[in-house]
């Protein structure tokens, strides 16, 4: 084995016959199977005294495995002292109330001031995700959507929450549950209902999405009117699937887009509504609640609520 002082050297005795990568991931839950495969490719795993070549190598009960885990690499993104509204934090996850206007991850045009910059400054106990010292972003909210979000701090948490969100996108029951509040104009045609469509890229505007496609993935959105408003309504949306822009697209294609939505909405003809949309300056969409199974045993189900932000509440009050 290497004599690199900073490597974490693990000795494993196989408990169940099967694949090498699966045996390591089962013995060390903090390491995702994908990360274990990278370690094998990098020659950091030894099986029965020899360097392992294949992740799918067969192992037997009692086989000895040695794993050399390098220290997490530093991330080029810089930490920034940005205030966060923290709803919950433990060794595995952090749940925050993201304000409207904050981008989740650095990208073109948004190199700083993002949620990741803020998390890097706040989280001093990051264990590293995929071998990189960073918070694990397992889902996103649009820049101008406010509300509850979760980020992971360990490999174990990242693997668990990624799987839960992927299952949600496929429409599988259990795991992640999300509710949103939005202001639509006009109001939906009934007190409650479900939008069940195919979903994909807009056939003409490729940066947009559409529920009026002939080929796509299934998308299901449940809605309930919470409060009638002036030429509008406060609506609760519950996602059965998790497609990009799903609520915004479903509401718009159904004929009652979100107030203030610059992409899928339209300029209101009603003067009062137009003034509210202008003052809000964003889509009237707030991620209100998020529930998930905690990645650490006993995998308790947790739920968190982000209070309605001031700008959203002002829009609501102005339309009473």
């Amino acid at each position: 084995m290497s004599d690199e002082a900073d490597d974490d050297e693990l000795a494993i005795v196989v408990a169940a016959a099967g694949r090498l990568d699966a045996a390591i991931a089962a013995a060390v839950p903090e390491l995702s199977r994908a990360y274990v495969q990278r370690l094998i490719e990098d020659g950091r795993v030894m099986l029965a005294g020899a360097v392992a070549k294949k992740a799918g190598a067969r192992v037997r009960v009692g086989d000895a495995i040695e794993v050399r885990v390098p220290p997490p690499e530093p991330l080029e993104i810089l930490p920034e002292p940005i205030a966060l509204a923290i709803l919950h934090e433990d060794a595995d996850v952090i749940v925050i109330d993201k304000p409207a206007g904050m981008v989740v991850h650095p990208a073109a045009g948004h190199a700083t001031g993002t949620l990741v910059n803020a998390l890097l400054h706040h989280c001093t106990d990051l264990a590293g995700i995929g071998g990189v010292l960073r918070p694990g972003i397992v889902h996103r909210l649009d820049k101008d959507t406010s509300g509850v979000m979760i980020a992971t701090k360990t490999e174990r948490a990242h693997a668990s929450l990624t799987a839960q969100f992927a299952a949600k996108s496929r429409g599988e029951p259990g795991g992640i549950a999300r509710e949103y509040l939005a202001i639509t104009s006009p109001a939906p045609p009934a007190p409650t209902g479900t939008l069940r469509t195919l979903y994909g890229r807009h056939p003409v505007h490729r940066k947009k999405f559409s529920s009026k496609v002939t080929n796509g993935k299934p998308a299901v959105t449940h809605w309930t009117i919470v409060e009638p408003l002036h030429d509008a309504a406060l609506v609760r949306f519950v996602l059965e699937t998790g497609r990009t822009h799903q609520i915004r697209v479903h509401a718009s294609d159904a004929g009652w887009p979100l107030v203030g939505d610059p992409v899928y909405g339209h300029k209101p003809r009603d003067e009062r509504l137009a003034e509210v949309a202008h003052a809000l300056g964003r889509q009237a969409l707030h991620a209100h609640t998020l529930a998930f199974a905690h990645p650490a045993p006993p995998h308790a189900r947790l739920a968190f609520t982000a209070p309605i932000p001031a700008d959203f509440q002002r829009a609501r009050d102005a339309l009473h």
Side-chain angles (χ1 to χ4, degrees), residues 195 197 199 211 219-221 245-254:
L195 298 167
T197 70
Y199 199 92
S211 63
V220 183
T221 305
H245 298 173
Q246 180 174 319
I247 292 173
R248 298 168 64 187
V249 170
H250 262 170
S252 178
D253 287 351

Side-chain angles (χ1 to χ4, degrees), residues 76-303:
E76 293 183 0
I77 301 170
L78 297 176
E80 297 179 41
I82 302 170
L84 291 172
I86 298 170
L87 303 176
H88 170 82
E89 184 176 9
D90 58 42
D92 287 288
V93 300
I94 180 169
V95 183
I96 63 105
D97 180 3
K98 187 190 86 68
M102 175 180 274
V103 174
V104 171
H105 197 282
H110 299 283
T112 61
T114 72
L115 176 60
V116 169
N117 295 111
L119 288 172
L120 284 171
H121 180 268
H122 173 81
C123 299
T124 59
D125 58 342
L126 289 174
I129 308 296
V132 180
L133 199 62
R134 64 180 174 91
I137 301 300
V138 291
H139 71 125
R140 298 173 187 266
L141 291 178
D142 295 333
K143 171 177 175 284
D144 290 324
T145 297
S146 56
V148 62
M149 275 195 67
I150 185 172
T152 61
K153 299 163 67 175
T154 64
E155 192 80 48
R156 170 179 68 182
H158 189 255
S160 173
L161 270 300
T162 297
Q164 290 184 57
F165 274 101
K168 183 66 175 180
S169 292
R170 296 190 296 267
E172 297 175 5
I176 299 295
R178 288 180 287 180
E179 291 188 5
Y180 291 73
L181 290 175
I183 300 175
T184 72
S185 178
T192 187
T194 297
L195 298 167
R196 194 181 305 270
T197 70
L198 292 178
Y199 199 92
R201 289 281 180 183
H202 193 285
V204 177
H205 307 289
R206 301 302 291 172
K207 291 185 178 181
K208 298 171 65 174
F209 292 85
S210 174
S211 63
K212 297 181 178 181
V213 294
T214 55
N215 292 292
K217 297 179 179 180
V220 183
T221 305
H222 306 286
W223 53 268
T224 302
I225 294 179
V226 177
E227 179 182 34
L229 300 170
H230 172 76
D231 196 25
L234 177 66
V235 181
R236 177 181 295 109
F237 289 95
V238 177
L239 294 178
E240 188 171 312
T241 54
R243 310 296 177 203
T244 302
H245 298 173
Q246 180 174 319
I247 292 173
R248 298 168 64 187
V249 170
H250 262 170
S252 178
D253 287 351
W256 23 280
L258 274 55
V259 169
D261 193 328
V263 178
Y264 299 102
H266 56 77
K267 186 176 181 179
R269 297 178 181 177
D270 181 89
E271 183 176 345
R272 179 176 167 190
L273 194 61
E275 291 177 355
V276 169
H278 178 75
L280 181 61
R282 66 176 180 101
Q283 62 266 12
L285 182 62
H286 176 65
H288 195 222
T289 65
L290 173 66
F292 58 93
H294 195 279
H299 306 296
R301 187 160 181 81
L302 304 179

Side-chain angles (χ1 to χ4, degrees), residues 183 229 259 272-273 276-277 279-280 284 309-320:
I183 300 175
L229 300 170
V259 169
R272 179 176 167 190
L273 194 61
V276 169
L280 181 61
D311 64 341
F312 190 108
Q313 186 61 48
R314 284 194 296 270
R316 177 185 180 184
D317 291 343
L319 293 173
H320 275 151

Side-chain angles (χ1 to χ4, degrees), residues 45-68:
V45 174
M46 297 188 73
L47 174 61
V51 175
K53 300 295 185 181
K54 297 181 178 180
R58 306 304 295 179
V59 296
R60 296 170 297 181
V61 175
D63 281 352
I65 302 172
E66 296 175 82
V67 182
R68 194 174 77 251

